[in-house]
Amino acid sequence: MKNNIAGCCMFLYLSGIILGTVVFSLFLLTKYQPTFSRVAEYQPPPNNIPVSKEPWKTISVSGIVNLRTMLLEERFDELDTILAGYQQDFEKDPLDEYKVFSAYNAFYLHNPSYETLFKKWLAAAPAHYQPYLAIAKYYDARAWQSRGTDWAKDTSDEQFKEMYAFLATAEQYAETALDKNERLAPAHSLLIGIAELNGNDRVKEQRIKRSRELFPYSFMLRSSYIWTEQPRWGGSYAAMAQIAKEAMPYAGKNPRLLALYGYIYQDQADMLERDDNYKEALHLLDQAIALGDVASFYTDRARFQISYFNRDDLALEDINRSIYLSDTDEESYRIRARVYFAKGEYEKSFADLHTAELLSPESKKIKEFREWAAKKLVFLGYEKAKKDLQQGIDLYTMALRFDRNYAETYYWRSLAYDKLNDRAASLSDIKNAIRLNPTYFDAYRMLDYLLAREEKWPEIIQYWDKFIALKPNNAEAYFERSGTHYHNRNMEQAMIDLKKACDLGSEPACKQYEKVR
């Protein structure tokens, strides 16, 4: 059984995989070895098949958002009509396949709150295939959310159990969808992947055989066959190459099929990256791109250029090409956001990150990038504010656009506003810093400083009470509150806090206590 679920990669999320053209008759390693220098040899592609350099016909980003909006608003009749239209386009022209794949990937959502909506859709249209395939995609997403992205050895039995339960549900709904319309290519692709993950080679081969009979020209389906034969899943590069070879009789009508060979280079590049052999991995991506325009090849090479070689301009060139070829891939926009950020073009970076979030609203990687970008901008703002306070504030404000929940941003912008004598803005920011991080000592001290100017001693004491309730052993907090009590003319409480601060180890408090007791 080929059920080695050892990789961190997600199941074929086809909205992020668009491929162009490649051929090489190679017959590489039958197994991946952890360390190697040369990984492939190939013969030149046949020159009698044209290389496809055209972008896919896709639905727009707004189209994907609109599908989800209709689901949220329970406009099920409209959903059925639009999805039926994409399916009809595919049945009329087998090469117009990406729209229907992309449309159903709009429902690759793992938030449990969507389950009720999908069930309502099923109840509203039990005779239609559309809600069955949509909910199958949803449960596939739930399966991979349960699985997580850790290696198998770091994944619990309970996680695997939950994943397989969700996969079984996804399989059931996808099969029902096919009972209602056998020409649903995304359902075939999903079921092939589930059979692979279940280690059921017999079922997988049956499904591949039937889908090949129905859709001999489909690049998307054949790419799912290729995926199941990656060495990480127990296959081999020779098996991947055989799948590509079997597609060549149909490449005259669909030149994109030539790109199937490129998956082998791409997978080897991924393995080399895991082995920290970035130079050789980049070389393999160069080889793949030289053989054809494949969006995912450009995306990977852009990621390498920005992550390992700091080549911002080359990365931007590659990722722009990727988005031209496939403009509904979340990863491409997220990587371009990184590139623009590295180039200091923060508005463009934010705009691309927003687009990525529209395409994949539940992406952890987007959240991680937002948090990283905010921290980086705070650091840059701090450095800039040393010479130009307003430029520093502008960078802090941009940081808040990326992540409004980072307390440090409000703290440092508060300091900058104070230096510009904008006390209202400074006070508002420091209160936000405390709201977001109720144990942020420096923020309380800054608030103390600001309110002390207006002699608002009771309010200051309330804030220190709040902090000490959370951090009862913080000597500096007692020392600060002692001073506030003193200014508020409560000498008894001031001495109690001063002694407490000394007892907790504050040397300045001890010295002060000895002077005044």
Side-chain angles (χ1 to χ4, degrees):
M1 294 201 324
K2 295 186 293 184
N3 59 353
N4 174 24
I5 309 179
C8 303
C9 40
M10 296 283 288
F11 172 62
L12 189 58
Y13 186 19
L14 286 166
S15 69
I17 301 177
I18 318 288
L19 305 159
T21 67
V22 168
V23 163
F24 66 119
S25 292
L26 69 140
F27 300 62
L28 325 162
L29 312 170
T30 57
K31 282 187 178 179
Y32 164 66
Q33 301 298 323
T35 304
F36 48 90
S37 57
R38 291 299 300 163
V39 291
E41 297 202 358
Y42 62 91
Q43 297 174 354
N47 57 18
N48 61 335
I49 300 176
V51 172
S52 174
K53 293 183 176 289
E54 296 302 314
W56 288 89
K57 295 179 182 178
T58 68
I59 62 177
S60 63
V61 173
S62 61
I64 290 175
V65 173
N66 189 42
L67 287 171
R68 293 190 185 128
T69 300
M70 285 188 283
L71 175 65
L72 290 168
E73 295 177 355
E74 301 182 20
R75 291 151 53 192
F76 302 133
D77 288 343
E78 292 178 63
L79 273 173
D80 286 341
T81 299
I82 290 175
L83 293 170
Y86 293 137
Q87 178 64 24
Q88 289 165 8
D89 289 345
F90 170 59
E91 291 183 12
K92 290 176 184 176
D93 178 5
L95 304 188
D96 188 8
E97 58 179 327
Y98 189 70
K99 288 187 295 187
V100 70
F101 274 89
S102 185
Y104 282 100
N105 279 330
F107 306 114
Y108 191 88
L109 303 160
H110 55 70
N111 191 314
S113 64
Y114 283 101
E115 187 170 34
T116 300
L117 290 168
F118 283 113
K119 293 293 181 65
K120 286 183 177 180
W121 186 4
L122 285 169
H128 297 174
Y129 61 82
Q130 295 93 323
Y132 292 93
L133 182 49
I135 199 172
K137 292 295 294 183
Y138 164 74
Y139 280 117
D140 183 45
R142 291 289 303 273
W144 282 100
Q145 174 68 10
S146 299
R147 162 65 174 86
T149 57
D150 291 333
W151 294 100
K153 65 182 179 62
D154 300 319
T155 303
S156 69
D157 291 342
E158 185 61 30
Q159 285 175 277
F160 279 122
K161 181 180 178 181
E162 192 172 64
M163 181 190 80
Y164 284 120
F166 280 127
L167 286 177
T169 305
E171 183 176 35
Q172 176 186 350
Y173 281 116
E175 287 176 340
T176 302
L178 286 183
D179 288 342
K180 296 176 182 299
N181 184 347
E182 193 184 16
R183 301 194 65 81
L184 297 175
H188 286 277
S189 177
L190 178 58
L191 288 168
I192 289 166
I194 291 174
E196 171 64 22
L197 293 172
N198 286 331
N200 196 328
D201 289 347
R202 181 183 61 82
V203 171
K204 184 188 80 172
E205 292 305 321
Q206 289 175 347
R207 295 197 186 283
I208 287 176
K209 181 176 182 294
R210 182 55 182 155
S211 65
R212 197 158 43 200
E213 292 170 351
L214 290 168
F215 315 107
Y217 300 103
S218 172
F219 176 82
M220 302 297 284
L221 278 165
R222 289 183 187 271
S223 67
S224 69
Y225 312 160
I226 286 272
W227 175 81
T228 67
E229 293 298 341
Q230 288 178 332
R232 71 189 72 193
W233 304 110
S236 69
Y237 292 130
M240 293 172 72
Q242 182 60 31
I243 289 171
K245 181 180 178 181
E246 290 170 356
M248 290 307 97
Y250 306 97
K253 182 171 181 179
N254 187 2
R256 293 187 193 278
L257 293 171
L258 295 171
L260 294 171
Y261 282 104
Y263 276 120
I264 302 169
Y265 274 142
Q266 187 179 40
D267 189 69
Q268 291 175 334
D270 180 63
M271 293 295 103
L272 282 169
E273 181 183 11
R274 295 166 188 263
D275 209 33
D276 298 333
N277 190 343
Y278 307 128
K279 184 177 180 180
E280 182 68 13
L282 184 63
H283 173 70
L284 286 174
L285 292 172
D286 290 343
Q287 294 275 29
I289 288 171
L291 293 170
D293 261 9
V294 181
S296 61
F297 292 174
Y298 283 100
T299 299
D300 282 355
R301 193 170 72 172
R303 181 173 54 80
F304 269 75
Q305 301 285 21
I306 191 68
S307 299
Y308 306 124
F309 300 99
N310 296 317
R311 298 169 182 164
D312 302 347
D313 291 336
L314 290 176
L316 184 59
E317 183 179 327
D318 278 348
I319 204 63
N320 281 341
R321 183 63 182 170
S322 177
I323 290 172
Y324 168 76
L325 293 168
S326 166
D327 62 358
T328 55
D329 178 14
E330 172 269 330
E331 184 184 13
S332 296
Y333 289 100
R334 177 165 41 82
I335 289 175
R336 194 168 69 176
R338 285 182 59 193
V339 175
Y340 279 135
F341 193 96
K343 293 171 71 66
E345 299 184 45
Y346 305 124
E347 288 284 356
K348 290 182 179 179
S349 176
F350 179 80
D352 271 349
L353 198 64
H354 176 66
T355 301
E357 202 159 35
L358 290 174
L359 290 166
S360 185
E362 299 169 341
S363 169
K364 288 184 179 180
K365 290 184 177 180
I366 292 174
K367 181 177 183 294
E368 290 168 358
F369 181 80
R370 283 186 175 280
E371 293 170 352
W372 173 87
K375 291 176 182 178
K376 181 69 173 178
L377 285 166
V378 168
F379 173 77
L380 294 172
Y382 172 78
E383 292 297 319
K384 186 66 69 173
K386 291 177 181 179
K387 295 182 179 180
D388 189 317
L389 285 169
Q390 189 55 56
Q391 287 187 18
I393 287 172
D394 290 343
L395 287 169
Y396 295 142
T397 302
M398 179 57 70
L400 290 173
R401 295 184 67 188
F402 280 92
D403 183 3
R404 300 200 66 83
N405 296 315
Y406 186 42
E408 290 276 347
T409 311
Y410 289 101
Y411 173 78
W412 290 106
R413 194 172 69 169
S414 173
L415 268 61
Y417 276 134
D418 179 61
K419 290 177 182 178
L420 287 177
N421 294 317
D422 189 341
R423 294 183 179 180
S426 179
L427 185 61
S428 175
D429 272 359
I430 209 64
K431 287 183 176 180
N432 273 320
I434 291 171
R435 174 180 58 82
L436 291 167
N437 183 357
T439 61
Y440 192 171
F441 177 80
D442 286 344
Y444 283 88
R445 188 153 55 184
M446 179 63 182
L447 181 68
D448 185 322
Y449 168 75
L450 292 171
L451 292 177
R453 290 172 172 173
E454 302 174 29
E455 299 185 356
K456 293 185 176 181
W457 313 119
E459 185 176 353
I460 297 171
I461 290 169
Q462 287 177 3
Y463 272 98
W464 283 121
D465 289 347
K466 175 182 177 182
F467 180 87
I468 288 170
L470 296 170
K471 293 288 185 179
N473 296 317
N474 188 296
E476 293 302 312
Y478 287 99
F479 191 29
E480 293 289 345
R481 191 172 68 175
S482 171
T484 307
H485 281 304
Y486 171 79
H487 287 293
N488 200 38
R489 301 188 180 187
N490 186 342
M491 294 302 297
E492 180 182 358
Q493 192 62 51
M495 290 300 293
I496 291 172
D497 276 354
L498 194 61
K499 186 177 186 304
K500 180 68 172 179
C502 178
D503 292 344
L504 287 170
S506 171
E507 186 174 337
C510 290
K511 289 180 179 179
Q512 185 71 16
Y513 185 72
E514 289 299 320
K515 288 181 181 180
V516 300
R517 72 173 181 169

